[in-house]
Amino acid sequence: MSYEVTIEPTGDVIEVEEGQTILDAALRQGVWLPFACGHGTCATCKVQVVEGEADIGNASPFALMDMERDEGKVLACCAMPESDMVIEADIDVDPDFQGFPVRDFVGTVTEIRDLSPTIKGIWFKLDRGMEFQAGQYINLHIPHVEGTRAFSIANKPSDSDTLELHVRKVEGGAGTTWLHEALQVGDTLDVSGPYGQFFVRKSDEQDAIFIAGGSGLSSPQSMILDMLETGDPRQIYLFQGARNVAELYNWELFEALAQEHSNFHYIPALNAPLPEEKWEGFTGYVHEAVKAYFDNRFSGHKAYLCGPPPMIDAAITTLMQGRLFERDIHMERFFTAADGAEDQPRSALFKRI
């Protein structure tokens, strides 16, 4: 049995199977609904039921309060229809969003490589091609680990049957620990995707600033490779932050790209280089490198941020001080159980980020 759910104000109509959540059905039919944690704790996917009935599922009482339940609100990531429904959602879909439907894949591990002392590169061959926009992410099912873990896609979309992930080992994180210590070449894992609203706004001709830290380099890598492959004429700047040279991975790739493409500029920044490394580049945090390079003037650019929360917060502050505002700042914000990121507060300054 299935139920028909109409989503206002867009008028999209989706079919939801019995026992399936509204969010899962929507994403698998190429209909975007805002969400973050995906398991009922952050309230990002809260919608208003206008008509029909639904089982609210395991929604947290903190994310969906009793008063809201009485008003007919549900969390799309938990709610399962019990009849045909009409819901209202706070949808702000970017015109550049291509809306590829979420699908399931099987990935076979073809390579595992140490990118830095804390980050591994993992390459999969998918059983079929995945359509995605550069900057999006997948959910990975890891053996003996409850739920899924989200990882940004690092390869460009034209390599559709390949999946490149950059996985930082999180202390105490069951998923990343298994991937670092137990995963072997030849293993197969279940994958679903693509997810996310982090992608290049190609209809906007402003030059692009990418700010990345740690394994947050993965999304910008995919986005930059795609832009260069498709001959994007904009000036593209990549600022990559790390503690020292050992943690500054894939720098050879980006230095080579800067030599090949006159519109691509690579600026690495180390905040704690070791004396023996004889570092001659920028010394300081990556947001400080951005500020120095542009002399604290950022208007006329789009900024794409991906990395640890302290880096993101510092970069947003720097960009805003330099006259770049919300409409031109984009970032990836997905949540992992290992990091406990679902408990991280969203900025009060922004609706989108």
Side-chain angles (χ1 to χ4, degrees):
M1 178 182 293
S2 65
Y3 300 104
E4 190 175 89
V5 177
T6 302
I7 302 170
E8 299 294 355
T10 62
D12 290 308
V13 179
I14 59 173
E15 292 291 327
V16 186
E17 297 296 326
E18 189 171 6
Q20 184 181 28
T21 67
I22 295 172
L23 177 63
D24 183 65
L27 295 178
R28 289 180 180 276
Q29 292 167 61
V31 176
W32 174 255
L33 288 176
F35 76 101
C37 74
H39 51 260
T41 60
C42 75
T44 304
C45 66
K46 191 178 298 178
V47 298
Q48 175 69 52
V49 176
V50 178
E51 296 178 13
E53 301 292 334
D55 180 345
I56 64 170
N58 60 345
S60 162
F62 300 102
L64 189 66
M65 296 182 291
D66 289 341
M67 177 180 66
E68 294 175 312
R69 298 174 191 225
D70 293 340
E71 293 172 348
K73 291 183 172 62
V74 299
L75 302 185
C77 71
C78 299
M80 293 170 285
E82 295 180 326
S83 69
D84 291 346
M85 298 178 65
V86 177
I87 62 172
E88 287 184 351
D90 184 12
I91 301 175
D92 183 18
V93 178
D94 192 284
D96 285 316
F97 179 57
Q98 295 181 34
F100 295 122
V102 170
R103 302 194 187 283
D104 297 319
F105 304 85
V106 176
T108 301
V109 180
T110 58
E111 183 180 359
I112 302 173
R113 187 194 314 160
D114 288 333
L115 299 178
S116 81
T118 59
I119 298 170
K120 283 188 182 292
I122 304 174
W123 283 260
F124 296 84
K125 181 76 170 180
L126 298 177
D127 58 337
R128 55 190 169 125
M130 177 192 296
E131 290 185 300
F132 67 94
Q133 287 182 263
Q136 292 190 294
Y137 68 92
I138 55 89
N139 279 339
L140 191 65
H141 296 260
I142 301 172
H144 317 298
V145 176
E146 184 179 357
T148 60
R149 298 294 184 267
F151 297 99
S152 295
I153 304 169
N155 53 284
K156 58 187 186 294
S158 60
D159 299 328
S160 63
D161 62 350
T162 298
L163 186 62
E164 177 184 343
L165 307 180
H166 300 168
V167 179
R168 176 178 64 91
K169 186 177 181 180
V170 178
E171 291 303 320
T176 60
T177 298
W178 191 92
L179 293 173
H180 270 248
E181 298 180 359
L183 185 67
Q184 301 290 323
V185 170
D187 288 348
T188 59
L189 296 180
D190 292 331
V191 176
S192 65
Y195 299 94
Q197 290 275 293
F198 190 51
F199 50 84
V200 175
R201 272 57 183 180
K202 292 190 175 183
S203 64
D204 191 313
E205 297 180 353
Q206 297 181 100
D207 294 339
I209 300 171
F210 294 91
I211 307 174
S215 60
L217 179 65
S218 51
S219 288
Q221 175 177 303
S222 176
M223 298 158 92
I224 290 167
L225 290 174
D226 181 53
M227 293 176 76
L228 295 177
E229 182 181 65
T230 56
D232 196 300
R234 282 172 286 191
Q235 297 298 308
I236 304 166
Y237 304 86
L238 171 61
F239 293 83
Q240 181 186 5
R243 284 186 55 81
N244 51 50
V245 170
E247 293 286 352
L248 188 74
Y249 73 93
N250 281 6
W251 60 268
E252 302 100 327
L253 167 65
F254 296 111
E255 286 195 345
L257 290 173
Q259 291 292 323
E260 296 171 15
H261 301 272
S262 60
N263 64 325
F264 175 61
H265 314 274
Y266 175 55
I267 306 94
L270 303 183
N271 66 290
L274 302 174
E276 58 268 26
E277 294 173 337
K278 298 181 180 180
W279 175 248
E280 297 180 353
F282 186 90
T283 299
Y285 290 103
V286 68
H287 68 279
E288 296 170 335
V290 179
K291 182 176 182 179
Y293 190 94
F294 285 99
D295 195 25
N296 203 32
R297 291 193 291 266
F298 306 110
S299 61
H301 295 84
K302 282 278 188 185
Y304 301 90
L305 322 178
C306 197
M311 186 217 81
I312 295 291
D313 293 342
I316 289 174
T317 299
T318 296
L319 293 169
M320 292 188 69
Q321 288 174 344
R323 308 298 292 174
L324 201 68
F325 301 109
E326 180 185 3
R327 67 179 179 273
D328 291 321
I329 300 175
H330 306 277
M331 58 173 284
E332 176 63 296
R333 186 182 291 274
F334 60 80
F335 300 88
T336 67
D339 287 317
E342 63 267 21
D343 299 323
Q344 296 292 330
R346 295 171 70 93
S347 169
L349 295 174
F350 294 97
K351 176 184 177 183
R352 290 186 296 101
I353 67 175

